Amino acid sequence: MGKEELLAKIEENVLQGRRDSEDEGLDEGLEGTPGVVELVQQSLEEGIEAKEILLGALSSGMDKVGEKYESGEYFLPDMLTAAEAVGAAMDILEPRLLDAGMESKGKVLLATVKGDLHDIGKNIVGLMLRGAGYEVLDLGADVDGNKILEKVRDAAPDILGLSALLTTTMLEMKEVIDALESEGLRGDVKVMVGGAPLTPQFAEKIGADAYGKDAIAAVRLADSLA
Ligand code: B1M
């Protein structure tokens, strides 16, 4: 297979949400054929640069997934499996991209706030941001505000992304933003918030810089904030 054909195959498999050959994908009859991971490995063996694979197949594939999600052709599970396939490919590519000195678009620190265990949405946002070329540091779920502040201080992210799924825990976001302010860190980092119970009005009221309705919006906003 030539380079263009390999990159097109990777993109096709991102759209199918096929991480590896064991996955069925959206269409029938694909099981047993190489998925994203095997194709990425093959591409590297054939001398295609990690950066080309990222930009020419993975990111472009996720862009198309995003368009299909927005047009209603794809649903959330389709986006999730595609993002997971890209995440698995990124595990292979990331060290090579760093070795090659490819600059990341920016550093994003993610956390689901204290008291909240919901992390599926945050994880999708993280995968999409990685696929779009950001360095993502993920603190996980139920993260104490002090830990977030400590990491903002140590890692100096460009963007802090906070997620909350409960009407009770979304209030914790304000605590974090206020603490950033009182610790003199607010000017150093842009804050993006997201999660099902939030509204743009709420985000504005608590002093966030941006509200991400979904993972696609989160990537677009990151591009405008970083
Ligand atoms: Co819980 N839960 N849950 N739950 N849960 C909800 C949120 C709830 C709406 C269900 C309901 O009652 N209808 C309700 C909240 C009600 C409220 O607050 N008013 C609820 C409740 C009450 C609870 C418990 C209290 C239940 C109990 O124990 N009595 C408990 C709380 C635990 C806790 O957190 N302390 C609880 C527990 C759980 C599970 C652990 C079982 C599980 C979570 C597993 C996990 O995440 N690892 C769970 C689940 C799965 C849900 C539902 C069913 C699904 C949430 C989800 O993953 N959605 C949810 C009901 C529902 O939404 N239908 C529900 C899919 C996900 C992709 O979407 O997270 O919105 P979402 O993320 C989107 C966007 O919001 C956005 O992009 C994502 C991708 O497009 N986004 C961001 C999210 N974060 C972002 C950050 C950004 C930008 C965009 O920038 C940084």
mmCIF file of all heavy atoms in Angstrom, residues 142-171:
data_model
loop_
_atom_site.group_PDB
_atom_site.id
_atom_site.type_symbol
_atom_site.label_atom_id
_atom_site.label_comp_id
_atom_site.label_asym_id
_atom_site.label_seq_id
_atom_site.Cartn_x
_atom_site.Cartn_y
_atom_site.Cartn_z
ATOM 1 N N ASP A 142 -13.398 13.662 40.500
ATOM 2 C CA ASP A 142 -13.466 13.936 41.937
ATOM 3 C C ASP A 142 -12.162 14.571 42.428
ATOM 4 O O ASP A 142 -11.560 14.095 43.391
ATOM 5 C CB ASP A 142 -13.779 12.611 42.686
ATOM 6 C CG ASP A 142 -14.014 12.830 44.173
ATOM 7 O OD1 ASP A 142 -14.246 13.987 44.583
ATOM 8 O OD2 ASP A 142 -13.955 11.836 44.920
ATOM 9 N N VAL A 143 -11.747 15.606 41.726
ATOM 10 C CA VAL A 143 -10.437 16.205 42.037
ATOM 11 C C VAL A 143 -10.592 17.427 42.955
ATOM 12 O O VAL A 143 -11.330 18.373 42.625
ATOM 13 C CB VAL A 143 -9.686 16.635 40.749
ATOM 14 C CG1 VAL A 143 -8.281 17.109 41.097
ATOM 15 C CG2 VAL A 143 -9.612 15.481 39.752
ATOM 16 N N ASP A 144 -9.913 17.373 44.045
ATOM 17 C CA ASP A 144 -9.935 18.462 45.018
ATOM 18 C C ASP A 144 -9.368 19.751 44.411
ATOM 19 O O ASP A 144 -8.390 19.712 43.657
ATOM 20 C CB ASP A 144 -9.075 18.030 46.220
ATOM 21 C CG ASP A 144 -9.192 18.998 47.356
ATOM 22 O OD1 ASP A 144 -10.163 18.878 48.122
ATOM 23 O OD2 ASP A 144 -8.326 19.897 47.472
ATOM 24 N N GLY A 145 -10.011 20.878 44.768
ATOM 25 C CA GLY A 145 -9.595 22.175 44.231
ATOM 26 C C GLY A 145 -8.127 22.485 44.486
ATOM 27 O O GLY A 145 -7.441 23.050 43.633
ATOM 28 N N ASN A 146 -7.641 22.100 45.668
ATOM 29 C CA ASN A 146 -6.234 22.381 46.006
ATOM 30 C C ASN A 146 -5.280 21.652 45.063
ATOM 31 O O ASN A 146 -4.241 22.169 44.692
ATOM 32 C CB ASN A 146 -5.929 21.954 47.441
ATOM 33 C CG ASN A 146 -6.568 22.892 48.427
ATOM 34 O OD1 ASN A 146 -6.714 24.089 48.156
ATOM 35 N ND2 ASN A 146 -7.003 22.364 49.553
ATOM 36 N N LYS A 147 -5.690 20.412 44.705
ATOM 37 C CA LYS A 147 -4.849 19.629 43.792
ATOM 38 C C LYS A 147 -4.809 20.296 42.413
ATOM 39 O O LYS A 147 -3.772 20.335 41.749
ATOM 40 C CB LYS A 147 -5.412 18.208 43.693
ATOM 41 C CG LYS A 147 -4.479 17.260 43.017
ATOM 42 C CD LYS A 147 -4.971 15.836 43.116
ATOM 43 C CE LYS A 147 -4.126 14.939 42.235
ATOM 44 N NZ LYS A 147 -4.712 13.619 42.072
ATOM 45 N N ILE A 148 -5.967 20.836 42.000
ATOM 46 C CA ILE A 148 -6.024 21.518 40.693
ATOM 47 C C ILE A 148 -5.104 22.741 40.714
ATOM 48 O O ILE A 148 -4.303 22.960 39.800
ATOM 49 C CB ILE A 148 -7.482 21.915 40.354
ATOM 50 C CG1 ILE A 148 -8.352 20.651 40.214
ATOM 51 C CG2 ILE A 148 -7.539 22.770 39.084
ATOM 52 C CD1 ILE A 148 -9.835 20.906 39.996
ATOM 53 N N LEU A 149 -5.201 23.504 41.801
ATOM 54 C CA LEU A 149 -4.367 24.702 41.918
ATOM 55 C C LEU A 149 -2.868 24.367 41.891
ATOM 56 O O LEU A 149 -2.074 25.027 41.217
ATOM 57 C CB LEU A 149 -4.685 25.416 43.231
ATOM 58 C CG LEU A 149 -5.435 26.742 43.091
ATOM 59 C CD1 LEU A 149 -6.774 26.543 42.427
ATOM 60 C CD2 LEU A 149 -5.593 27.421 44.420
ATOM 61 N N GLU A 150 -2.549 23.319 42.636
ATOM 62 C CA GLU A 150 -1.159 22.874 42.707
ATOM 63 C C GLU A 150 -0.636 22.531 41.301
ATOM 64 O O GLU A 150 0.466 22.907 40.913
ATOM 65 C CB GLU A 150 -1.137 21.616 43.568
ATOM 66 C CG GLU A 150 0.162 21.234 44.192
ATOM 67 C CD GLU A 150 -0.042 19.956 45.009
ATOM 68 O OE1 GLU A 150 -0.814 20.002 46.007
ATOM 69 O OE2 GLU A 150 0.507 18.935 44.615
ATOM 70 N N LYS A 151 -1.474 21.833 40.533
ATOM 71 C CA LYS A 151 -1.051 21.402 39.195
ATOM 72 C C LYS A 151 -0.969 22.603 38.244
ATOM 73 O O LYS A 151 -0.113 22.644 37.357
ATOM 74 C CB LYS A 151 -2.039 20.353 38.678
ATOM 75 C CG LYS A 151 -1.525 19.527 37.540
ATOM 76 C CD LYS A 151 -0.412 18.566 37.950
ATOM 77 C CE LYS A 151 0.126 17.823 36.757
ATOM 78 N NZ LYS A 151 1.283 16.990 37.092
ATOM 79 N N VAL A 152 -1.874 23.577 38.422
ATOM 80 C CA VAL A 152 -1.803 24.788 37.587
ATOM 81 C C VAL A 152 -0.465 25.476 37.843
ATOM 82 O O VAL A 152 0.224 25.911 36.921
ATOM 83 C CB VAL A 152 -2.988 25.753 37.889
ATOM 84 C CG1 VAL A 152 -2.758 27.126 37.264
ATOM 85 C CG2 VAL A 152 -4.303 25.160 37.399
ATOM 86 N N ARG A 153 -0.087 25.507 39.099
ATOM 87 C CA ARG A 153 1.182 26.139 39.482
ATOM 88 C C ARG A 153 2.379 25.384 38.880
ATOM 89 O O ARG A 153 3.251 25.963 38.255
ATOM 90 C CB ARG A 153 1.306 26.147 41.008
ATOM 91 C CG ARG A 153 1.702 27.484 41.564
ATOM 92 C CD ARG A 153 1.795 27.453 43.072
ATOM 93 N NE ARG A 153 0.653 28.090 43.711
ATOM 94 C CZ ARG A 153 -0.217 27.475 44.508
ATOM 95 N NH1 ARG A 153 -0.100 26.212 44.773
ATOM 96 N NH2 ARG A 153 -1.213 28.142 45.046
ATOM 97 N N ASP A 154 2.348 24.042 39.042
ATOM 98 C CA ASP A 154 3.501 23.223 38.619
ATOM 99 C C ASP A 154 3.612 23.073 37.110
ATOM 100 O O ASP A 154 4.696 23.137 36.547
ATOM 101 C CB ASP A 154 3.391 21.793 39.182
ATOM 102 C CG ASP A 154 3.567 21.787 40.669
ATOM 103 O OD1 ASP A 154 3.906 22.846 41.215
ATOM 104 O OD2 ASP A 154 3.338 20.721 41.275
ATOM 105 N N ALA A 155 2.479 22.813 36.466
ATOM 106 C CA ALA A 155 2.532 22.440 35.045
ATOM 107 C C ALA A 155 2.324 23.635 34.118
ATOM 108 O O ALA A 155 2.549 23.524 32.914
ATOM 109 C CB ALA A 155 1.499 21.359 34.748
ATOM 110 N N ALA A 156 1.853 24.756 34.665
ATOM 111 C CA ALA A 156 1.594 25.971 33.873
ATOM 112 C C ALA A 156 0.833 25.682 32.571
ATOM 113 O O ALA A 156 1.344 25.960 31.483
ATOM 114 C CB ALA A 156 2.906 26.690 33.578
ATOM 115 N N PRO A 157 -0.385 25.107 32.663
ATOM 116 C CA PRO A 157 -1.139 24.839 31.436
ATOM 117 C C PRO A 157 -1.635 26.141 30.800
ATOM 118 O O PRO A 157 -1.785 27.151 31.494
ATOM 119 C CB PRO A 157 -2.340 24.016 31.936
ATOM 120 C CG PRO A 157 -2.521 24.448 33.356
ATOM 121 C CD PRO A 157 -1.143 24.767 33.880
ATOM 122 N N ASP A 158 -1.881 26.096 29.495
ATOM 123 C CA ASP A 158 -2.479 27.259 28.829
ATOM 124 C C ASP A 158 -3.963 27.337 29.167
ATOM 125 O O ASP A 158 -4.545 28.403 29.255
ATOM 126 C CB ASP A 158 -2.325 27.120 27.303
ATOM 127 C CG ASP A 158 -0.871 27.001 26.913
ATOM 128 O OD1 ASP A 158 -0.174 28.022 27.026
ATOM 129 O OD2 ASP A 158 -0.434 25.886 26.558
ATOM 130 N N ILE A 159 -4.564 26.129 29.263
ATOM 131 C CA ILE A 159 -6.003 26.069 29.516
ATOM 132 C C ILE A 159 -6.280 25.090 30.651
ATOM 133 O O ILE A 159 -5.718 23.998 30.690
ATOM 134 C CB ILE A 159 -6.758 25.576 28.249
ATOM 135 C CG1 ILE A 159 -6.524 26.537 27.083
ATOM 136 C CG2 ILE A 159 -8.261 25.428 28.524
ATOM 137 C CD1 ILE A 159 -7.050 26.027 25.751
ATOM 138 N N LEU A 160 -7.177 25.513 31.556
ATOM 139 C CA LEU A 160 -7.677 24.589 32.576
ATOM 140 C C LEU A 160 -9.099 24.224 32.170
ATOM 141 O O LEU A 160 -9.946 25.102 32.010
ATOM 142 C CB LEU A 160 -7.664 25.266 33.956
ATOM 143 C CG LEU A 160 -8.421 24.521 35.065
ATOM 144 C CD1 LEU A 160 -7.764 23.170 35.373
ATOM 145 C CD2 LEU A 160 -8.468 25.368 36.344
ATOM 146 N N GLY A 161 -9.357 22.930 31.994
ATOM 147 C CA GLY A 161 -10.697 22.476 31.609
ATOM 148 C C GLY A 161 -11.361 21.759 32.757
ATOM 149 O O GLY A 161 -10.850 20.769 33.267
ATOM 150 N N LEU A 162 -12.506 22.301 33.196
ATOM 151 C CA LEU A 162 -13.224 21.694 34.315
ATOM 152 C C LEU A 162 -14.539 21.111 33.832
ATOM 153 O O LEU A 162 -15.264 21.734 33.058
ATOM 154 C CB LEU A 162 -13.506 22.748 35.393
ATOM 155 C CG LEU A 162 -12.289 23.419 36.027
ATOM 156 C CD1 LEU A 162 -12.735 24.548 36.950
ATOM 157 C CD2 LEU A 162 -11.434 22.402 36.785
ATOM 158 N N SER A 163 -14.847 19.905 34.333
ATOM 159 C CA SER A 163 -16.094 19.249 33.947
ATOM 160 C C SER A 163 -16.916 18.933 35.187
ATOM 161 O O SER A 163 -16.361 18.606 36.241
ATOM 162 C CB SER A 163 -15.756 17.951 33.188
ATOM 163 O OG SER A 163 -16.923 17.308 32.752
ATOM 164 N N ALA A 164 -18.249 19.043 35.057
ATOM 165 C CA ALA A 164 -19.155 18.664 36.151
ATOM 166 C C ALA A 164 -20.469 18.184 35.562
ATOM 167 O O ALA A 164 -20.960 18.757 34.586
ATOM 168 C CB ALA A 164 -19.399 19.842 37.083
ATOM 169 N N LEU A 165 -21.026 17.136 36.144
ATOM 170 C CA LEU A 165 -22.285 16.574 35.635
ATOM 171 C C LEU A 165 -23.423 16.694 36.632
ATOM 172 O O LEU A 165 -24.562 16.336 36.326
ATOM 173 C CB LEU A 165 -22.080 15.090 35.268
ATOM 174 C CG LEU A 165 -21.848 14.721 33.803
ATOM 175 C CD1 LEU A 165 -23.127 14.752 32.999
ATOM 176 C CD2 LEU A 165 -20.834 15.637 33.161
ATOM 177 N N LEU A 166 -23.114 17.164 37.827
ATOM 178 C CA LEU A 166 -24.153 17.273 38.850
ATOM 179 C C LEU A 166 -24.437 18.743 39.142
ATOM 180 O O LEU A 166 -23.508 19.561 39.160
ATOM 181 C CB LEU A 166 -23.707 16.571 40.139
ATOM 182 C CG LEU A 166 -23.419 15.066 40.044
ATOM 183 C CD1 LEU A 166 -22.767 14.555 41.327
ATOM 184 C CD2 LEU A 166 -24.700 14.282 39.765
ATOM 185 N N THR A 167 -25.708 19.031 39.376
ATOM 186 C CA THR A 167 -26.052 20.426 39.673
ATOM 187 C C THR A 167 -25.413 20.868 40.984
ATOM 188 O O THR A 167 -25.181 22.058 41.193
ATOM 189 C CB THR A 167 -27.596 20.597 39.766
ATOM 190 O OG1 THR A 167 -28.118 19.512 40.532
ATOM 191 C CG2 THR A 167 -28.234 20.602 38.408
ATOM 192 N N THR A 168 -25.111 19.900 41.845
ATOM 193 C CA THR A 168 -24.449 20.252 43.107
ATOM 194 C C THR A 168 -22.966 20.542 42.882
ATOM 195 O O THR A 168 -22.441 21.542 43.387
ATOM 196 C CB THR A 168 -24.590 19.101 44.130
ATOM 197 O OG1 THR A 168 -24.298 17.877 43.472
ATOM 198 C CG2 THR A 168 -25.986 19.057 44.707
ATOM 199 N N THR A 169 -22.286 19.700 42.109
ATOM 200 C CA THR A 169 -20.831 19.868 41.969
ATOM 201 C C THR A 169 -20.439 20.997 41.019
ATOM 202 O O THR A 169 -19.311 21.483 41.075
ATOM 203 C CB THR A 169 -20.161 18.560 41.501
ATOM 204 O OG1 THR A 169 -20.751 18.166 40.273
ATOM 205 C CG2 THR A 169 -20.311 17.460 42.540
ATOM 206 N N MET A 170 -21.373 21.402 40.144
ATOM 207 C CA MET A 170 -20.993 22.480 39.212
ATOM 208 C C MET A 170 -20.615 23.755 39.986
ATOM 209 O O MET A 170 -19.832 24.571 39.518
ATOM 210 C CB MET A 170 -22.076 22.744 38.158
ATOM 211 C CG MET A 170 -23.391 23.247 38.687
ATOM 212 S SD MET A 170 -24.679 23.095 37.430
ATOM 213 C CE MET A 170 -25.025 24.809 37.094
ATOM 214 N N LEU A 171 -21.144 23.877 41.205
ATOM 215 C CA LEU A 171 -20.822 25.049 42.021
ATOM 216 C C LEU A 171 -19.349 25.040 42.439
ATOM 217 O O LEU A 171 -18.770 26.089 42.729
ATOM 218 C CB LEU A 171 -21.731 25.097 43.256
ATOM 219 C CG LEU A 171 -23.232 25.092 42.928
ATOM 220 C CD1 LEU A 171 -24.056 24.960 44.184
ATOM 221 C CD2 LEU A 171 -23.619 26.355 42.151
#
